[in-house]
Amino acid sequence: MKTVFSPLHAGHSGQMELVAGAIVPGFEKPSRAEIIKARVEDQKLGDILAPEIHDLAAAKRVHAADYIDFLPTVWPEWEAAEKTGSAIPFAWPTRGLRGDVRPQTIEALLGYYSFDGGASFVKGTWDAIKSSYDVALTAAQLVKAGERAAFALCRPPGHHAGAAFMGGYCFINNAAVAAQWFRDQGAKRVAVLDVDYHHGNGTQEIFYSRADIQVINLHGDPMTEYPFFLGHADERGSGEGEGFNINYPMPFGTTFDKWNEALEDACRKLAAYAPDVVVVSLGVDTFEKDPISHFKLTSADYPKIGARIAKLGLPTLFVMEGGYAVDEIGVNAVGVLTGFEGR
C-alpha cells in the first residue's frame, strides 16, 4: 500500500489551544505524523510518495468559498494586527447572535469561522493545511488509478471541519474533499467510514442532506464527549439524505468487543449501500492509553479493524485523523493498514 506524506505538516508546530478553561500546548503535534511515517517504513508497508500540488477547487466543492479563502489570510492578518502567540478563536456567534454578518477584524473572523478554540494558527499552519489537503487528493488519485488502497498520512486532520467552520484541530475536511472528488470523477456512490473516537461532525454536516455519500461514525457518546453537539443515533440525514447518515455513539470505557459489534453492523450497512469506493477516516484515539479519549481498544485490535474493512472488497482510501498516544500511534495506525493487507 502506497503512503502519501508531506514534511510541510511540521510547520504547524508549537501552537496553543483553548481547552477546559486553560491555554495549553496543542495535543495535535508533529510527532504524531513522524511516528506513523517511521512505522510505515519499519513495516515496509510500501512506497512513501510526496503529494502533487493542487489548486483549491476541490476544497470549494465541500467548503464555502469564503471560508477556504480565509484560511491562508489568518496568519498575515494576525501579524498585521500586531498580535503575538497563537491565533486562537475565543468568541463565537452562538444562538441569538448574528452569524449572518461577516465581521472585519481577525479576532472576530477566527470565531466567525470556528466552533471551538482548538483550531489555532502559527506561522506555518496554512502550509501544513494545504499540504494535508494535497496529500489526501494525491492518495485519492492513486485509488482512482487502480490501487486497491492508499494511505493519506494527513496532518492536520480534517473530520471536524464543516462546510464553513474549523475546530478540533481541523481546517479542511480531507476525507470529505476526497469523497466529493471521487464523485466528481465518476463514482456513483461513496461511503465515508469514520472510526475516530470523536464524532466526525464536520463530515456529517457537509453531507447530511445527500444520498450519494453515505457517512458512518463510530464514536464517543456526545452526551458526555467532544464535540458534544452532533453524533446522536437519531441523526439519520435530512431530505434526500435521510437514512444515509448513521451514528454509533458509545459510552466511556467501551471495549473492543462492544466496539466491534458496531463495526460489524456498520460494515453490513455499508455493503448494502454498495458504494464504488470507501473513504476511511482513520482515527486511532480509541486506544486505551490515549490521553484525551475514553475507549479501551488495545494495539492487538487494530489489525482486526483493517481486516474487517478489507472484507468489504472495495477500493479504499485511508485518511489519517486523530490519535494522541504518541508512543503507540504508529503501531495502531499502521496495524489497521497491515491488517487490511492480510498480514
Side-chain angles (χ1 to χ4, degrees), residues 171-205:
F171 304 88
I172 292 178
N173 193 317
N174 301 306
V177 166
Q180 180 62 52
W181 183 86
F182 282 124
R183 283 285 292 116
D184 292 341
Q185 295 299 308
K188 293 181 179 179
R189 286 184 163 190
V190 179
V192 180
L193 175 63
D194 191 322
V195 298
D196 192 282
Y197 173 75
H198 300 96
H199 180 253
N201 58 308
T203 311
Q204 173 172 310
E205 185 261 349

Side-chain angles (χ1 to χ4, degrees), residues 5 169 242 257:
F5 170 82
Y169 315 144
E242 186 171 355
D257 286 347

Side-chain angles (χ1 to χ4, degrees), residues 2-343:
K2 293 182 173 66
T3 295
V4 185
F5 170 82
S6 171
L8 293 178
H9 80 88
H12 185 52
S13 176
Q15 79 280 8
M16 306 295 284
E17 63 175 282
L18 169 63
V19 59
I23 304 294
V24 299
F27 282 97
E28 204 288 287
K29 57 187 68 175
S31 58
R32 298 177 59 248
E34 297 297 337
I35 291 171
I36 296 168
K37 176 175 177 284
R39 184 68 175 178
V40 166
E41 294 169 336
D42 177 74
Q43 294 297 295
K44 297 179 172 57
L45 185 69
D47 294 338
I48 299 177
L49 310 176
E52 297 179 7
I53 305 303
H54 299 80
D55 63 29
L56 292 168
K60 292 178 181 180
R61 293 284 291 139
V62 297
H63 292 287
D66 61 299
Y67 168 67
I68 293 298
D69 291 341
F70 165 70
L71 295 175
T73 73
V74 172
W75 191 252
E77 289 196 28
W78 188 254
E79 287 192 316
E82 300 183 344
K83 304 293 182 182
T84 59
S86 300
I88 304 176
F90 71 95
W92 295 272
T94 189
R95 293 174 296 277
L97 302 183
R98 293 291 299 272
D100 61 323
V101 179
R102 188 179 188 273
Q104 294 181 348
T105 68
I106 186 59
E107 304 99 309
L109 286 166
L110 284 166
Y112 180 77
Y113 287 118
S114 68
F115 74 93
D116 72 1
S120 57
F121 286 73
V122 292
K123 185 174 182 179
T125 297
W126 168 247
D127 287 342
I129 295 167
K130 178 57 166 57
S131 72
S132 190
Y133 164 81
D134 288 335
V135 163
L137 282 176
T138 302
Q141 289 171 334
L142 292 173
V143 175
K144 176 66 168 60
E147 296 284 342
R148 179 185 179 217
F151 178 36
L153 181 39
C154 293
R155 181 183 173 267
H159 72 150
H160 293 308
F165 61 79
M166 58 189 176
Y169 315 144
C170 300
F171 304 88
I172 292 178
N173 193 317
N174 301 306
V177 166
Q180 180 62 52
W181 183 86
F182 282 124
R183 283 285 292 116
D184 292 341
Q185 295 299 308
K188 293 181 179 179
R189 286 184 163 190
V190 179
V192 180
L193 175 63
D194 191 322
V195 298
D196 192 282
Y197 173 75
H198 300 96
H199 180 253
N201 58 308
T203 311
Q204 173 172 310
E205 185 261 349
I206 288 169
F207 297 126
Y208 200 63
S209 62
R210 291 174 56 173
D212 58 334
I213 298 180
Q214 180 191 52
V215 177
I216 303 176
N217 271 274
L218 288 69
H219 57 281
D221 190 334
M223 291 300 291
T224 54
E225 187 53 84
Y226 178 92
F228 303 118
F229 307 115
L230 278 183
H232 298 282
D234 64 351
E235 297 161 13
R236 303 188 65 254
S238 66
E240 293 181 0
E242 186 171 355
F244 298 104
N245 188 86
I246 305 166
N247 286 322
Y248 295 89
M250 289 171 272
F252 285 4
T254 294
T255 61
F256 181 70
D257 286 347
K258 288 295 184 182
W259 190 92
N260 192 49
E261 289 178 8
L263 179 64
E264 284 292 337
D265 192 65
C267 287
R268 286 192 291 269
K269 288 181 169 62
L270 193 156
Y273 182 69
D276 296 311
V277 62
V278 179
V279 177
V280 178
S281 274
L282 179 57
V284 292
D285 42 2
T286 48
F287 182 54
E288 61 182 348
K289 297 179 185 178
D290 193 276
I292 61 173
S293 306
H294 301 281
F295 285 174
K296 298 299 179 182
L297 276 65
T298 69
S299 291
D301 297 325
Y302 291 96
K304 301 172 189 175
I305 297 170
R308 182 61 185 91
I309 294 170
K311 283 177 64 178
L312 294 166
L314 295 166
T316 304
L317 172 66
F318 292 92
V319 178
M320 194 66 210
E321 301 286 2
Y324 307 99
V326 293
D327 289 342
E328 291 88 359
I329 188 174
V331 171
N332 298 340
V334 179
V336 175
L337 307 177
T338 55
F340 181 91
E341 292 198 324
R343 297 199 205 175

